[in-house]
Amino acid sequence: GGLRPQTREPRAILDLLGVSKGVFALTKADLAENEEWLDLVAADVAETLEGTVLAGVPIVPVSARTGRGLDELVAALQAMLAQTEPRRDLGRPRLPVDRVFTISGFGTVVTGTLADGCFEVGQEVEVLPRGLWARVRGLQVHKQKVERATPGSRVAMNLTGVGKDDLQRGDVVTVPGWLRPTVLVDVRLRYLPDAQYPLRHNAQLKFFSGAAEAPARVRLLGRDELQAGESGWAQLELEEPLALVKGDRFIVRIPSPPATVGGGVVVDPHPGRKHRRLHPAVLARLETLAQGTPAEVLLQALERQGPMPVGDLIAASNLGEAAPQALAQLLQEGQAVVLASGDQGSGIRNQELVAARSWWSALTGRVARELAEYHQRFPLRAGMGREALRSGLKLDARVFNAAMVRAVSEGLLVEEGAIVRLPSHTVRLAPDQQRRVDELLARFCSQPYATPSFKECVAAVGEEVLGV
């Protein structure tokens, strides 16, 4: 029978949220009168998706009853995922909470889809907008225990320090110190073409972003009303504080009769005050913010290309005289770091390498895991060979050398000649090994003129222990 209204609204929402990849499952294919009718419905779906971000996605007829198309659907999903780039790790993880519950023996558990960074077991976290602090006791991804959850994963997080009644859907779990809740947000608002009435200044709406929702009043900044299909600058006054960042997408609905009427992108989550309406300077500032500040342009280049010499980064940015100040801002805010140095001052040289904080956080996490695994496998070795670590990380020699200098200066690892180790690692004999060593030493003491041969020593304690 073609697309139903309850299918058309999610399609509009996906379009507003910018979901550009997917597969359309044409369900109940067994009810189609014939293949020609199924082809007509598929053509209707394709026509409806034209002009949206989902235009051209695969359309797969399926039937749960007969099993038709299920293998094709799985194959189409796998092909789509294979072409999808991994979610970016910005070093500032956010888990919008969509469920809160308790498990006997474990306590409080929250679930959500992880964005912008990674979480690890044992990590200290903050729950916003409540300002509660907790610790990650355990992580699961698709019901599998993990030590580290990565961006884009569906995550179940076991928290200690907070109870089930302390949390609710819409909260955000993140790392402490960087994210502030807000009740006033500057946005670019897109009003849907099939909205029945114009959107007027001061209209009451329901705002949705992540897993959070809040009543909101819309202040139209460039005109008195938006007609169906139009876009404009607006300031949303939220009745409840929400944890939002620039670039977050949102949906707005009218409360009665409930319907999705638009959505858009957060341009400034902390404007500081209500803007003057119909004011050219305000609108010009919002246009500039939407394009990205100089600091954001530099940071995006670093996140896209990895560590770069300062001179190359500035030249590639096309920011001119604004680039050095923008780089100084990134370094001061900790969003970028200078490799080969613990110094974040502005007097850096053009040939020095600079990297995004997200890249640095991801690298140091990998280094810590590589060394920890090595120490566990070879507890009697002083550490891992420097070149073996570089090979495992697959880093260019210049980037690796500079990163090692910074890692040592931050106390993340210890470098001893060609060997690197974690600061916590010391060579320790297991109790059984220590007992064998003590017995061998006793033999040397009791028979100083007939000491054991090398072969007997190896047999007594093992070649690895003998080499320590």
Side-chain angles (χ1 to χ4, degrees), residues 235-256:
Q235 199 166 44
L236 298 176
E237 295 182 62
L238 308 175
E239 288 189 15
E240 302 165 10
L242 299 181
L244 301 167
V245 302
K246 181 180 179 181
D248 279 354
R249 291 184 176 268
F250 66 90
I251 297 296
V252 287
R253 289 168 61 86
I254 53 174
S256 182

Side-chain angles (χ1 to χ4, degrees), residues 189-195 197-198 223 226-232 261:
L189 178 60
R190 178 179 159 201
Y191 202 47
L192 287 179
D194 54 1
Y197 307 102
R223 59 185 76 182
L226 283 181
Q227 301 295 329
E230 291 185 333
S231 297
V261 294

